[in-house]
């Protein structure tokens, strides 16, 4: 009998090794297929940072299937849900995610700077045609059952909320977009502190989530990327011992720790290699994080074609010479791997071909100076 009891105790310990699994994606920039012509959209994709916007309907379908297999406790999407706030894009993305909610997988969203534009355009063969947008109030209505509308603590001044994921793990979502132009409103900061204090009194462990970043992750991307009053947010997080923030916006997979807070900025889910983050939180508050690519290799290859074409378009403006093909191959590889969160070696001889002091050369040197693997980390809440 003692052996049997010991065996049951061992099983209970094994099955309580981790308390909560959270999957994190950001910036899918979903665009309804009814709102674009591929050739017109492709021209824009190449001139931006290479988002594979044209296949996001398929990517989200793949993602949902993988979540149905993984069965995490929650999925957190940190903003820029849509391409430019098209109401139809919001509704279609929501329809993709509804099955997860129905199967008991909680989905939490926050809006990004692209999500509440009231006059977006469809990119049709005949040209750009204005289509129905989404106001902040309409955004809250569409996504009311994906966070804000069902949260235990809701901010009256923005779409910020604090909600329990499972057991003693809570999620604080801070809205820095609805009418606040990249800042967290003062009223929201006051609400935030009161809500945190109430949850902490219950013994809750809190994860924070924002769209814009708390920190500067790359010196080339500062204004417009970091929350304008991030120092005020950090003061409150530090006061109550909140040590982890999930964000996006930058589109580059990057992890930075400052002032006792670690921030995981997720790569855009629309960029190669179409990866999501998995956060495993143990009963004692310790956690591990890693990224995982979707399983559909055809979609990943399609995303790489667009990403590499975009890199070539941008870099070709600053580079020239008889070794252009080799130089472009190096640019594509380094840029791809930097965005995914880890540069896996490079051709030092090829880098000597690049002109010194060139803006793009400086960018590549910045990339290779970051030797960390930003696809994984661990810590404690």
């Amino acid at each position: 009998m003692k052996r049997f009891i010991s065996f049951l105790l061992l099983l209970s310990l094994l099955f309580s090794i981790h308390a909560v699994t959270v999957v994190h994606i950001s910036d899918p920039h979903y665009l309804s297929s009814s709102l674009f012509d591929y050739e017109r959209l492709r021209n824009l994709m190449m001139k931006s940072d290479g988002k594979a916007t044209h296949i996001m309907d398929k990517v989200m379908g793949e993602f949902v299937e993988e979540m149905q297999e993984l069965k995490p406790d929650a999925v957190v999407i940190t903003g820029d849900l849509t391409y430019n706030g098209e109401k139809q894009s919001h509704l279609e993305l929501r329809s993709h995610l509804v099955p997860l909610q129905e199967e008991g997988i909680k989905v939490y969203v926050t809006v990004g700077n692209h999500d509440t534009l009231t006059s977006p355009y469809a990119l049709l063969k005949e040209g750009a045609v204005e289509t129905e947008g989404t106001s902040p109030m309409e955004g809250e209505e569409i996504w009311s059952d994906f966070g804000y509308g069902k949260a235990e603590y809701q901010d009256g001044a923005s779409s910020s909320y604090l909600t329990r994921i499972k057991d003693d793990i809570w999620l604080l979502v801070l809205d820095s977009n609805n009418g606040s132009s990249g800042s967290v409103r003062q009223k929201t900061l006051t609400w935030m502190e009161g809500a945190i204090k109430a949850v902490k009194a219950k013994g809750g462990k809190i994860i924070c989530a924002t769209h814009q970043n708390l920190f500067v992750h790359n010196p080339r991307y500062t204004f417009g990327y970091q929350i304008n009053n991030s120092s005020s947010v950090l003061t409150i997080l530090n006061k109550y011992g909140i040590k982890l923030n999930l964000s996006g916006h930058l589109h580059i997979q990057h992890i930075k720790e400052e002032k006792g807070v670690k921030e995981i900025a997720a790569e855009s889910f629309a960029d190669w290699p179409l990866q999501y983050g998995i956060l495993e939180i143990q009963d004692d508050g310790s956690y591990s994080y890693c990224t995982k690519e979707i399983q559909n290799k055809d979609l990943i290859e399609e995303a790489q074609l667009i990403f590499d074409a975009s890199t070539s378009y941008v870099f070709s403006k600053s580079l020239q010479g008889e070794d252009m093909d080799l130089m472009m191959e190096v640019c594509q590889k380094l840029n791809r791997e930097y965005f995914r969160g880890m540069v896996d070696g490079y051709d030092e001889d090829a880098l000597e071909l690049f002109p010194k002091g060139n803006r793009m050369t400086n960018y590549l040197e910045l990339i290779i100076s970051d030797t960390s693997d930003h696809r994984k980390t661990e810590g404690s809440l």
Side-chain angles (χ1 to χ4, degrees):
M1 177 61 74
K2 288 183 179 179
R3 288 185 178 179
F4 182 69
I5 293 174
S6 296
F7 178 69
L8 289 179
L9 179 60
L10 177 60
L11 280 180
S12 68
L13 288 173
L14 287 173
F15 282 100
S16 65
I17 286 177
H18 84 269
V20 177
T21 300
V22 177
V23 168
H24 175 213
I25 65 172
S26 196
D27 300 74
H29 287 278
Y30 188 93
L31 179 62
S32 168
S33 58
S34 66
L35 298 177
F36 70 84
D37 168 71
Y38 173 70
E39 289 303 323
R40 288 187 62 85
L41 178 61
R42 187 176 188 278
N43 288 334
L44 287 178
M45 290 190 295
M46 286 190 47
K47 295 175 183 178
S48 63
D49 65 353
K51 296 184 298 294
T53 308
H54 65 303
I55 59 172
M56 286 312 294
D57 178 59
K58 295 177 181 177
V59 172
M60 289 308 304
E62 178 74 26
F63 174 72
V64 168
E65 288 183 9
E66 293 189 23
M67 293 305 99
Q68 289 170 325
E69 292 180 8
L70 181 63
K71 299 188 185 306
D73 296 291
V75 172
V76 177
I77 310 178
T78 49
D80 280 358
L81 310 170
T82 61
Y83 191 71
N84 269 324
E86 310 83 11
K87 189 171 185 178
Q88 185 60 31
S89 298
H90 275 289
L91 293 173
E92 284 188 19
L93 178 59
R94 184 186 184 282
S95 69
H96 271 294
L97 298 168
V98 165
L100 297 182
Q101 294 270 52
E102 293 175 341
E103 294 185 23
I105 300 170
K106 299 176 181 178
V107 181
Y108 302 109
V109 305
T110 185
V111 293
N113 52 296
H114 280 259
D115 290 326
T116 55
L117 303 179
T118 54
S119 300
Y121 286 84
L123 306 170
L124 306 179
K125 282 185 179 181
E126 58 269 30
V129 179
E130 189 170 328
T131 188
E132 187 175 6
T134 312
S135 69
M137 185 175 295
E138 288 171 328
E140 283 186 6
E141 291 175 358
I142 292 171
W143 295 103
S144 63
D145 52 347
F146 288 77
Y148 181 83
K150 290 189 174 181
E152 290 87 337
Y153 300 89
Q154 301 174 11
D155 175 30
S158 72
S159 297
S160 302
Y161 59 93
L162 178 57
T163 189
R164 188 197 303 268
I165 296 177
K166 181 183 177 184
D167 300 332
D168 63 344
I169 305 299
W170 292 68
L171 177 70
L172 169 65
V173 174
L174 290 179
D175 170 22
S176 55
N177 293 284
N178 283 351
S180 53
S181 303
S183 300
V184 178
R185 295 176 176 179
Q186 183 57 50
K187 288 183 178 180
T188 298
L189 291 172
T190 302
W191 164 85
M192 168 189 172
E193 183 162 11
I196 290 172
K197 189 181 296 184
V199 169
K200 284 290 185 177
K202 302 175 184 178
K205 301 179 181 73
I206 300 174
I207 302 167
C208 188
T210 60
H211 176 59
Q212 285 94 345
N213 313 126
L214 290 177
F215 306 126
V216 173
H217 289 259
N218 181 311
R220 291 172 66 100
Y221 304 108
T222 53
F223 181 75
Y225 290 90
Q226 185 182 27
I227 293 174
N228 296 329
N229 58 339
S230 61
S231 59
S232 298
V233 176
L234 282 167
T235 296
I236 298 174
L237 296 184
N238 283 325
K239 181 177 180 179
Y240 294 95
I242 299 174
K243 301 176 183 177
L244 181 63
N245 186 58
L246 306 177
S247 68
H249 190 53
L250 185 64
H251 290 196
I252 297 170
Q253 181 71 33
H254 201 272
I255 299 171
K256 186 170 184 178
E257 186 167 7
E258 249 183 49
K259 302 176 181 177
V261 177
K262 182 178 291 184
E263 178 169 64
I264 301 174
E267 181 187 23
S268 167
F269 193 46
D271 279 332
W272 178 92
L274 308 176
Q275 63 185 357
Y276 51 87
I278 303 176
L279 180 68
E280 297 276 8
I281 306 169
Q282 313 305 322
D283 290 334
D284 62 358
S286 62
Y287 66 81
S288 61
Y289 168 93
C290 66
T291 61
K292 185 179 186 299
E293 301 170 7
I294 67 169
Q295 296 174 21
N296 190 314
K297 300 303 180 186
D298 291 336
L299 292 177
I300 293 175
E301 288 179 7
E302 177 67 16
Q304 182 176 335
L305 288 175
I306 292 296
F307 195 91
D308 286 353
S310 173
T311 300
S312 295
Y313 175 85
V314 173
F315 277 80
S316 63
K317 297 178 180 180
S318 302
L319 301 175
Q320 57 185 348
E322 59 183 22
D323 296 308
M324 187 67 169
D325 288 345
L326 176 57
M327 293 165 69
M328 196 56 66
E329 184 179 325
V330 172
C331 291
Q332 289 175 345
K333 178 182 185 298
L334 288 176
N335 202 41
R336 269 201 318 270
E337 294 183 351
Y338 180 59
F339 268 68
R340 74 163 182 186
M342 176 62 182
V343 175
D344 188 17
Y346 56 93
D347 187 336
E348 294 186 23
D349 292 334
L351 280 179
E352 293 299 320
L353 301 172
F354 289 80
K356 301 301 180 185
N358 180 282
R359 180 171 177 269
M360 290 306 179
T361 304
N362 294 340
Y363 173 69
L364 295 180
E365 291 173 346
L366 178 66
I367 286 176
I368 62 177
S369 68
D370 189 344
T371 58
S372 299
D373 187 347
H374 297 280
R375 300 170 299 174
K376 59 185 179 181
T377 190
E378 58 186 21
S380 181
L381 298 180

